[in-house]
Amino acid sequence: MKFISTRKKARSVSLSEALERGLAEDGGLYIPEKFPHFDSIPFKSWPEFAEKILSPFFEGDHLESFLGKACKSAFSFPLPLKILNDSTAVLELFHGPTAAFKD
């Protein structure tokens, strides 16, 4: 997948280039040129779920082969779901190693 600038004046780049540069040459933010559509993804584990969701963005990039390992490393702690009602749950992301909401 290629990533384009929100300002649309810079050339499209790979995931690796977007991560390395941070900002596009025209000062815009990099966004995916398209967003994948998922009908459903069977849930077995958080690392596997993350890998399936992220894999289209890594497609064709040299980092693609590291995605599975990165997801396993990133989700190496419990991720409790707090059930609010029959149709709503909240993933409590502050249980991570830094105890911060961003984990």
Side-chain angles (χ1 to χ4, degrees), residues 7-60:
R7 294 187 179 174
K8 300 182 181 187
K9 294 179 183 166
R11 66 180 179 83
S12 63
V13 298
S14 68
L15 173 67
S16 295
E17 289 177 280
L19 291 173
E20 188 176 311
R21 293 175 186 262
L23 290 175
E25 296 162 346
D26 62 2
L29 301 174
Y30 284 114
I31 59 171
E33 64 183 356
K34 62 183 177 184
F35 286 91
H37 174 76
F38 301 98
D39 288 325
S40 74
I41 297 173
F43 183 85
K44 294 181 183 174
S45 69
W46 288 113
E48 186 176 314
F49 181 78
E51 186 175 358
K52 289 199 185 288
I53 293 291
L54 293 172
S55 63
F57 301 100
F58 282 72
E59 195 171 288

Side-chain angles (χ1 to χ4, degrees), residues 50-72:
E51 186 175 358
K52 289 199 185 288
I53 293 291
L54 293 172
S55 63
F57 301 100
F58 282 72
E59 195 171 288
D61 192 90
H62 76 274
L63 293 175
E64 186 174 12
S65 63
F66 299 103
L67 179 58
K69 186 177 179 180
C71 289
K72 285 181 183 122

Side-chain angles (χ1 to χ4, degrees), residues 68-85:
K69 186 177 179 180
C71 289
K72 285 181 183 122
S73 176
F75 292 100
S76 61
F77 55 90
L79 294 165
L81 274 177
K82 182 172 180 146
I83 306 299
L84 300 179
N85 59 44

